[in-house]
PDB file of all heavy atoms in Angstrom:
ATOM      1  N   GLN Y  79     172.902  56.227  97.187  1.00 98.00           N
ATOM      2  CA  GLN Y  79     173.647  56.581  98.422  1.00 98.00           C
ATOM      3  C   GLN Y  79     174.457  57.889  98.164  1.00 98.00           C
ATOM      4  O   GLN Y  79     174.528  58.773  99.009  1.00 98.00           O
ATOM      5  CB  GLN Y  79     174.498  55.481  98.799  1.00 98.00           C
ATOM      6  CG  GLN Y  79     173.807  54.231  99.379  1.00 98.00           C
ATOM      7  CD  GLN Y  79     174.585  53.099  99.785  1.00 98.00           C
ATOM      8  OE1 GLN Y  79     175.687  52.975  99.420  1.00 98.00           O
ATOM      9  NE2 GLN Y  79     173.925  52.134 100.470  1.00 98.00           N
ATOM     10  N   ASN Y 109     169.692  55.419 102.516  1.00 98.00           N
ATOM     11  CA  ASN Y 109     169.197  56.378 103.531  1.00 98.00           C
ATOM     12  C   ASN Y 109     168.725  57.623 102.885  1.00 98.00           C
ATOM     13  O   ASN Y 109     169.247  58.070 101.889  1.00 98.00           O
ATOM     14  CB  ASN Y 109     170.278  56.758 104.479  1.00 98.00           C
ATOM     15  CG  ASN Y 109     170.812  55.564 105.383  1.00 98.00           C
ATOM     16  OD1 ASN Y 109     169.987  54.635 105.537  1.00 98.00           O
ATOM     17  ND2 ASN Y 109     171.971  55.672 105.860  1.00 98.00           N
ATOM     18  N   ARG Y 154     167.782  46.025 106.738  1.00 98.00           N
ATOM     19  CA  ARG Y 154     167.458  47.431 106.617  1.00 98.00           C
ATOM     20  C   ARG Y 154     166.373  47.609 105.563  1.00 98.00           C
ATOM     21  O   ARG Y 154     166.509  46.946 104.520  1.00 98.00           O
ATOM     22  CB  ARG Y 154     168.756  48.202 106.273  1.00 98.00           C
ATOM     23  CG  ARG Y 154     168.621  49.653 106.381  1.00 98.00           C
ATOM     24  CD  ARG Y 154     169.879  50.323 105.914  1.00 98.00           C
ATOM     25  NE  ARG Y 154     171.136  50.130 106.715  1.00 98.00           N
ATOM     26  CZ  ARG Y 154     171.300  50.662 107.855  1.00 98.00           C
ATOM     27  NH1 ARG Y 154     170.363  51.542 108.395  1.00 98.00           N
ATOM     28  NH2 ARG Y 154     172.448  50.480 108.518  1.00 98.00           N
ATOM     29  N   HIS Y 160     166.677  58.199 109.554  1.00 98.00           N
ATOM     30  CA  HIS Y 160     167.021  58.038 110.991  1.00 98.00           C
ATOM     31  C   HIS Y 160     167.321  59.348 111.434  1.00 98.00           C
ATOM     32  O   HIS Y 160     168.183  60.082 110.970  1.00 98.00           O
ATOM     33  CB  HIS Y 160     168.241  57.069 111.088  1.00 98.00           C
ATOM     34  CG  HIS Y 160     168.269  56.399 112.290  1.00 98.00           C
ATOM     35  ND1 HIS Y 160     168.347  56.944 113.587  1.00 98.00           N
ATOM     36  CD2 HIS Y 160     168.305  54.984 112.546  1.00 98.00           C
ATOM     37  CE1 HIS Y 160     168.393  56.013 114.519  1.00 98.00           C
ATOM     38  NE2 HIS Y 160     168.289  54.899 113.911  1.00 98.00           N
TER      39      HIS Y 160
HETATM   40  C1  NAG D 522     172.426  54.771 106.783  1.00 53.14           C
HETATM   41  O1  NAG D 522     172.152  55.222 108.090  1.00 53.14           O
HETATM   42  C2  NAG D 522     172.590  54.307 109.133  1.00 53.14           C
HETATM   43  C3  NAG D 522     172.081  54.912 110.496  1.00 53.14           C
HETATM   44  O2  NAG D 522     170.690  54.743 110.561  1.00 53.14           O
HETATM   45  C4  NAG D 522     174.041  54.119 109.101  1.00 53.14           C
HETATM   46  O3  NAG D 522     174.511  53.187 110.075  1.00 53.14           O
HETATM   47  C5  NAG D 522     174.516  53.648 107.734  1.00 53.14           C
HETATM   48  O4  NAG D 522     175.902  53.668 107.661  1.00 53.14           O
HETATM   49  C6  NAG D 522     174.011  54.653 106.661  1.00 53.14           C
HETATM   50  N1  NAG D 522     174.323  54.065 105.443  1.00 53.14           N
HETATM   51  C7  NAG D 522     174.754  54.756 104.499  1.00 53.14           C
HETATM   52  C8  NAG D 522     175.081  54.073 103.198  1.00 53.14           C
HETATM   53  O5  NAG D 522     174.981  55.963 104.592  1.00 53.14           O
END
Side-chain angles (χ1 to χ4, degrees):
Q79 288 176 352
N109 292 339
R154 194 187 289 285
H160 210 299

